[in-house]
């Protein structure tokens, strides 16, 4: 059985060659997150689940607030690290489940950035990747708060 919690692509060594590429990649991953959650919000609306659609829209807004969009070519080739975990398949998906998915995706992004930082030979790359990891930590805090609100 495939483990849906894992990153789709391992960053490994040599993914980026400059701090500017790290920023471009961060923009690309942020766009990927926004698109993922916007698509899930649309799907929930199609299924008549307005509450979960609103949760996915809020999650997308949180993702948009953390990394500025990037026009760089690397952003277009951002690896697929976010997973929708087949969340749009059922109208019974709850806002809690939406936030739980977003927390798991944010944890994947954090792992991605810390791995890039750990493998970087260049201090600027490591510092920029670490900054992106810290942004993901903030993101996780907001998402966990949303998950708690949805639970109660």
């Amino acid at each position: 059985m495939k483990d849906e919690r894992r990153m789709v692509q391992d960053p490994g060594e040599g993914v980026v060659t400059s701090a500017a590429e790290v920023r471009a990649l961060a923009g690309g991953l942020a766009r990927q997150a926004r698109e993922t959650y916007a698509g899930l919000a649309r799907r929930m609306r199609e299924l008549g689940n307005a509450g979960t659609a609103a949760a996915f829209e809020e999650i997308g807004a949180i993702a948009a607030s953390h990394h500025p969009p990037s026009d760089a070519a690397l952003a277009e080739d951002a690896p697929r690290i976010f997973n929708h975990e087949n969340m749009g398949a059922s109208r019974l998906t709850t806002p809690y489940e939406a936030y739980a998915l977003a927390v798991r995706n944010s944890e994947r992004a954090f792992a991605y950035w810390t791995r890039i930082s750990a493998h970087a030979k260049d201090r600027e790359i490591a510092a920029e990747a670490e900054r992106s990891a810290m942004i993901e930590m903030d993101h996780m805090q907001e998402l966990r708060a949303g998950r708690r609100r949805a639970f109660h």
Side-chain angles (χ1 to χ4, degrees):
M1 184 169 114
K2 183 178 173 187
D3 186 353
E4 296 291 340
R5 296 169 298 172
R6 300 180 83 190
M7 274 187 271
V8 178
Q9 187 173 1
D10 185 347
E13 195 171 338
V15 171
V16 292
T17 59
S18 71
E21 285 184 3
V22 173
R23 288 187 293 276
L25 185 55
L29 292 176
R31 184 175 61 242
Q32 184 185 120
R34 289 189 303 272
E35 290 170 358
T36 296
Y37 299 127
L40 287 168
R42 277 191 305 278
R43 181 66 181 141
M44 287 297 111
R45 287 216 186 278
E46 290 168 2
L47 294 172
N49 188 337
T52 302
F56 277 125
E57 288 164 354
E58 184 176 314
I59 292 165
I62 291 169
S65 70
H66 288 277
H67 289 284
S70 175
D71 295 327
L74 185 61
E76 292 298 320
D77 297 327
R80 302 297 302 173
I81 65 169
F82 299 106
N83 194 327
H84 62 76
E85 297 178 11
N86 209 25
M87 190 70 65
S90 172
R91 69 175 185 81
L92 301 177
T93 301
T94 66
Y96 177 86
E97 291 169 321
Y99 277 100
L101 168 72
V103 167
R104 288 189 298 274
N105 279 334
S106 192
E107 288 168 345
R108 283 198 257 316
F110 175 78
Y112 184 83
W113 292 120
T114 56
R115 188 156 168 94
I116 287 177
S117 179
H119 286 280
K121 305 273 189 258
D122 180 279
R123 287 181 192 213
E124 276 188 66
I125 292 172
E128 195 64 36
E130 189 172 320
R131 188 182 75 75
S132 290
M134 296 307 293
I135 288 171
E136 283 303 325
M137 289 288 286
D138 292 342
H139 192 188
M140 276 188 274
Q141 182 179 358
E142 289 179 65
L143 293 170
R144 286 179 175 139
R147 185 178 61 184
R148 281 190 300 276
R149 283 190 311 275
F151 181 77
H152 297 291

